[in-house]
Amino acid sequence: MCGIVGYIGERNAQEVLIKGLRRLEYRGYDSAGIATLDAGKKPKGNISLQVKKCKGKLSTLRSMLEKRPLRGKIGISHVRWATHGIPNTSNAHPHWDCSGKIALVHNGIIENYEQLKEELIRQGHLFRSQTDTEVIVHLIGRYYKGRLEEAVRKALKQVRGAYAIAVISKDEPDTLIGARSGSPLIAGTAQGEGFLASDIPALLDYTNEVFLIDDGQMVVLTRNSVKIIDVQSGEKVRKEKVKIQWDVAQAEKEGYPHFMLKEIHEQPKAIRDTLMGRISRRRDAVILQELAPLRKTLSCVNKIVIISCGTAWHAGLVGKYTIERLCRIPVEVDTSSEFRYRDPIIDKRTLVVAISQSGETADTLAGMREAKDKGAKIISICNVLGSSVTRESQAVLYTHAGPEIAVASTKAYTCQLIVLYLFALYLAQARKTLSGARLKQLIRELERLPHSAEKILKDKKVVLECARRYYKSFGFLYLGRALNFPTALEGALKIKEISYIHAEGYAGGEMKHGPIALINPHLPVVCVAPSSHVHDKMLSNIQEIKARKGIVISVASAGDELVPHHSNHVVYIPKVEEIFSPALTVIPLQLLAYYIAVKRDCDVDQPKNLAKSVTVE
Ligand code: M6R
C-alpha cells in the first residue's frame, strides 16, 4: 500500500520522481504528491521546499505539474492508498514539519500515532492532516539540531508500527534519507545519483544496482555516497549491491491496452522461465538447488502448511491437492490472516510454505513469524527478489514471472502453480512416492504447458462472445471440483476484483447444499470441467444447472463431447494431465474477467479500493 520514490542527482528531480511513481501506481491511487528542493537561480542559501499534492490519481498531479513544474535536483514523491484519513489533498503526502523545512513521504501504519500526536500538540505542533504519517515529520522537526540523519534516527526510535519513509530538508539539500521497518524500501545508485523506491520497477530506467534495505535500517544518500546504518545503534552496516535482472520493457505495457492483458499473454513465457534450469537434461528429475540446505528437514517432514492470501491462497489450495496426491504428505492450507491468529499446531517436523507474489504481504509475513516461533522451517514461493518474505525464509523458490503490475494477479498465479508442481515432484522423487517412469511422464507433461497456454491465448472467440453477452449480469457462479475447485475460486475473485460483479466460487459437490437456489435463466454459471477423475460429477452439476435453465459456460478438454452437449458456451483447453489442468483452465477465466471489465468500462489495472501489495493488516 502506497508507493514512495526519492531522488538526488543532477537530473530534473520531478521527471525522475513522476516516472518512478508511474511504475508504482499499482500500490495506491487515491492521492499523489511530490516535494523538491529548489535553489532557483539564486545563490545557495535561498533554497525553497516546494510541495504539490492532490486527491485522485497520479494523472491529476501530472496535469498540475505540467502547468506549474517544480524545479530542483532532489525530491521525494508518493502515491497513496488511504489507511488513516480520507483521500483528500491535506491527507496526501508529502507532509512537512512546523518549520516548513523538512518533508516526508511514508508507506505503512504508525500504530502509536495518536499518543505521539497528543504529545506533539501539547508541545505546540500544528497538524494539517488526519494521517498517522504526519507525526513522524513533526518528531523529526522536534529533534532537528542541525543534523537530519540524527533527527530522523531519534524520531524513528519513538514510532511503533510499519514504515518505509523518504525525507529531505531544506537545510541539507545534499542529503536524501530513507528508512524501513516492515514496509519495503530499496536504494539504488548510479554515477552521481541516488534513488529510493518501494519497488524495483521505479528505478529500472536509471539503474539496476540496488541495496535491499532491511527492517530497522536507515540509508543516507548523497550524490556520491551511500551510507546504511542501524536505526537503534546508529552504527554503519555493510551491505552488498544486488544486480536486478528485470528490464524496463518488462515494466511497460508494450502496446497492450492494459497491464493485465499483457500479463495474461506473458504466461507462456513466464511458465517457461519458471521451469528453466529446474529440470534435468534427461528430463527425468526435478532440480531445486535452492532446497539443498533443507534436504534433511524435507526427508523428515510429516506435515506441510501452506499460508498465503487472495490469489496466492488459491495457488496454495492447488498445491495441497498436488502434494497430497503425489507425495502422500498431509497438507493444510490457510489464509495467512486466519493462520496467524488461530494458534496453529506446528512443530519442528512441520514445513511451512509461504506463497506471495510481492513478498511484502503483511499477514503472510506475520504468519511466517508465528510459524518460526513455533519451530517450523519455512520455504517461500515468491516473485520479488530480496523482498521481506524471501528474507525471512530458510529457502526461496522464485517464480520467474517478471514484474506483475496489474492489481489482479494472473501470471504470478500460474507461475506459483508451476513452482508448486516442481516442488511436489521434487518431494515425490526424494521420498520415492512415484515410479521413475511416472515421474518422467509428468515432467514431460509439465514442459508442454507453455505451448498449451499459447494455444488457449490464440483463440478468444468464445470468451469474447461470453463477455459481450453477459457483461451486464448481476452475478456469476463458478463451479469446479478437486484440483479445479481453486480455479473456480480464482475465476470468481478475478471478476469481483476488476468488474465489481458479485461472484461466488463453489466446489461442485456443494451446489446442492445452497447455491443451486441461485440458478435462474439470467445467471451465468462457469463450470470448470476438464478431463479428470471427477469429470462425471461435474457433468452432473452441469445437467442440474441446465435443468433449471441456468446459462452454462464450460471450460472443457479438447475432444470432450459430453460437456458441450449440455453447455451454452464451451472454451476448450488442450488435453493435459489432471494435476496440471489448473494452470490452463484459469486462463479463459482471466480473459473472461478482463473482457467483462473492459466492456463495463472499469479501471482494469487499478480497481477501486484495492492495492497490489497489502503491506498493512
Ligand atoms: O503479493 P501477494 O501474492 O502476497 O498478494 C496476495 C493477494 O493480496 C493478491 O493475490 C490479491 O488477492 C490479488 N489482487 C488477486 O488478484
Side-chain angles (χ1 to χ4, degrees):
M1 319 271 175
C2 301
I4 67 176
V5 185
Y7 175 72
I8 180 166
E10 289 307 324
R11 297 174 204 255
N12 175 316
Q14 175 185 305
E15 243 175 75
V16 180
L17 295 169
I18 296 299
K19 208 166 183 180
L21 285 188
R22 286 174 72 174
R23 300 256 165 76
L24 296 185
E25 222 188 342
Y26 67 86
R27 301 181 68 88
Y29 31 86
D30 60 43
S31 39
I34 178 171
T36 61
L37 296 176
D38 177 21
K41 289 176 190 133
K42 301 166 203 158
K44 253 193 173 176
N46 280 327
I47 288 164
S48 65
L49 172 70
Q50 308 177 78
V51 181
K52 286 248 164 78
K53 50 188 192 169
C54 60
K55 178 182 174 212
K57 293 199 167 203
L58 182 59
S59 51
T60 315
L61 180 70
R62 283 168 57 201
S63 316
M64 282 168 71
L65 292 169
E66 259 163 39
K67 284 181 207 133
R68 302 197 62 182
L70 296 187
R71 283 190 307 225
K73 294 176 177 173
I74 171 170
I76 54 180
S77 62
H78 188 266
V79 280
R80 179 168 188 246
W81 187 89
T83 57
H84 294 60
I86 57 163
N88 62 17
T89 305
S90 50
N91 289 334
H93 302 210
H95 295 283
W96 55 91
D97 72 326
C98 290
S99 70
K101 291 181 176 177
I102 303 169
L104 167 141
V105 288
H106 165 226
N107 166 30
I109 290 181
I110 303 305
E111 286 164 7
N112 58 338
Y113 85 98
E114 277 176 322
Q115 174 206 329
L116 292 169
K117 190 170 174 174
E118 262 175 40
E119 239 174 82
L120 287 159
I121 289 174
R122 269 203 305 275
Q123 290 165 6
H125 288 253
L126 187 76
F127 279 75
R128 299 174 189 86
S129 75
Q130 284 79 50
T131 62
D132 52 335
T133 300
E134 204 182 338
V135 296
I136 318 176
V137 75
H138 282 277
L139 282 173
I140 297 173
R142 181 170 89 181
Y143 290 121
Y144 189 75
K145 301 270 180 309
R147 274 198 74 210
L148 186 62
E149 178 185 324
E150 208 41 45
V152 173
R153 207 163 76 74
K154 281 191 173 148
L156 292 180
K157 285 179 163 187
Q158 303 269 303
V159 301
R160 269 201 332 267
Y163 59 78
I165 56 166
V167 192
I168 50 172
S169 167
K170 175 179 154 163
D171 285 348
E172 294 184 37
D174 297 318
T175 309
L176 167 67
I177 294 186
R180 80 163 264 177
S181 176
S183 298
L185 185 70
I186 52 168
T189 51
Q191 186 73 36
E193 298 178 293
F195 307 84
L196 290 174
S198 304
D199 199 359
I200 295 162
L203 307 185
L204 286 177
D205 281 297
Y206 309 101
T207 183
N208 64 351
E209 295 196 333
V210 302
F211 294 93
L212 305 169
I213 308 302
D214 280 312
D215 281 348
Q217 291 178 349
M218 242 172 87
V219 52
V220 183
L221 292 159
T222 67
R223 285 177 179 81
N224 296 308
S225 69
V226 190
K227 182 170 71 174
I228 299 169
I229 54 178
D230 181 272
V231 171
Q232 287 306 321
S233 66
E235 276 168 22
K236 271 198 191 174
V237 177
R238 279 182 64 88
K239 202 174 261 291
E240 296 293 318
K241 273 187 194 168
V242 175
K243 207 161 186 147
I244 302 299
Q245 304 301 341
W246 294 351
D247 61 28
V248 176
Q250 286 178 294
E252 301 280 4
K253 282 192 203 143
E254 291 178 335
Y256 284 94
H258 298 100
F259 277 112
M260 183 178 176
L261 189 63
K262 175 185 174 236
E263 288 160 9
I264 291 174
H265 279 87
E266 281 173 344
Q267 289 179 108
K269 178 177 185 308
I271 296 173
R272 258 183 213 115
D273 290 349
T274 300
L275 285 172
M276 202 183 293
R278 286 167 162 169
I279 287 170
S280 68
R281 274 230 204 122
R282 294 164 66 183
R283 297 190 169 140
D284 56 358
V286 168
I287 308 162
L288 293 177
Q289 293 292 7
E290 306 92 316
L291 298 184
L294 289 184
R295 197 166 292 146
K296 226 164 139 198
T297 311
L298 292 178
S299 63
C300 60
V301 156
N302 63 4
K303 183 169 83 173
I304 295 177
V305 179
I306 302 181
I307 58 169
S308 42
C309 300
T311 287
W313 175 60
H314 300 155
L317 290 171
V318 176
K320 171 184 168 70
Y321 284 97
T322 311
I323 296 167
E324 288 188 342
R325 193 174 292 182
L326 299 185
C327 319
R328 307 309 298 158
I329 303 174
V331 182
E332 283 174 19
V333 190
D334 230 336
T335 52
S336 313
S337 52
E338 286 301 310
F339 176 85
R340 63 184 288 192
Y341 292 119
R342 77 166 160 91
D343 193 11
I345 301 167
I346 275 177
D347 59 27
K348 291 196 173 72
R349 293 185 67 194
T350 310
L351 177 73
V352 169
V353 180
I355 310 177
S356 174
Q357 187 284 131
S358 62
E360 300 296 345
T361 300
D363 281 322
T364 301
L365 277 163
M368 290 168 70
R369 288 171 195 149
E370 169 80 13
K372 208 187 227 159
D373 287 348
K374 287 183 149 55
K377 291 274 187 296
I378 300 169
I379 291 179
S380 59
I381 297 177
C382 191
N383 197 40
V384 179
L385 183 86
S387 56
S388 305
V389 161
T390 66
R391 284 187 269 171
E392 298 202 22
S393 314
Q394 267 96 37
V396 185
L397 294 170
Y398 279 105
T399 48
H400 298 301
E404 192 181 64
I405 312 282
V407 166
S409 185
T410 54
K411 60 175 180 171
Y413 175 70
T414 35
C415 290
Q416 285 160 359
L417 297 187
I418 299 305
V419 170
L420 284 161
Y421 294 146
L422 287 166
F423 179 58
L425 290 171
Y426 178 87
L427 274 184
Q429 163 187 298
R431 297 165 79 101
K432 303 202 175 13
T433 48
L434 282 180
S435 71
R438 179 72 177 135
L439 185 67
K440 219 164 159 176
Q441 188 188 14
L442 288 173
I443 288 174
R444 280 168 194 254
E445 279 274 324
L446 188 57
E447 286 192 306
R448 265 200 286 273
L449 285 178
H451 180 63
S452 302
E454 261 153 14
K455 271 186 153 172
I456 298 171
L457 289 166
K458 264 189 198 135
D459 184 4
K460 304 196 189 81
K461 243 189 354 251
V462 179
V463 169
L464 285 167
E465 170 67 6
C466 292
R468 191 184 64 74
R469 280 188 188 223
Y470 307 120
Y471 75 97
K472 287 189 180 154
S473 294
F474 192 64
F476 270 76
L477 181 62
Y478 286 73
L479 295 180
R481 282 175 182 257
L483 282 140
N484 280 294
F485 162 47
T487 312
L489 295 177
E490 176 61 6
L493 177 63
K494 287 287 92 91
I495 209 157
K496 271 188 273 213
E497 283 191 284
I498 60 168
S499 306
Y500 319 134
I501 298 178
H502 179 70
E504 292 268 12
Y506 255 91
E510 279 290 293
M511 190 173 83
K512 289 198 201 69
H513 301 280
I516 198 163
L518 296 172
I519 309 288
N520 67 48
H522 308 290
L523 181 78
V525 186
V526 179
C527 298
V528 190
S531 302
S532 74
H533 73 295
V534 288
H535 181 264
D536 287 356
K537 307 284 169 198
M538 272 311 294
L539 197 60
S540 305
N541 285 136
I542 291 173
Q543 282 164 319
E544 285 154 12
I545 300 161
K546 276 317 293 172
R548 285 157 187 84
K549 302 201 164 44
I551 304 158
V552 177
I553 303 170
S554 292
V555 178
S557 298
D560 189 328
E561 286 176 2
L562 297 170
V563 167
H565 188 68
H566 301 283
S567 308
N568 301 69
H569 310 273
V570 187
V571 185
Y572 291 100
I573 61 154
K575 279 195 178 138
V576 63
E577 264 293 332
E578 181 179 353
I579 55 163
F580 301 140
S581 63
L584 299 181
T585 49
V586 75
I587 298 173
L589 307 196
Q590 296 167 342
L591 287 168
L592 182 65
Y594 172 77
Y595 286 114
I596 287 181
V598 170
K599 290 230 58 96
R600 290 167 71 92
D601 233 353
C602 294
D603 192 340
V604 174
D605 285 337
Q606 295 170 355
K608 67 172 190 248
N609 302 338
L610 288 171
K612 181 73 181 161
S613 32
V614 184
T615 54
V616 293
E617 190 178 354

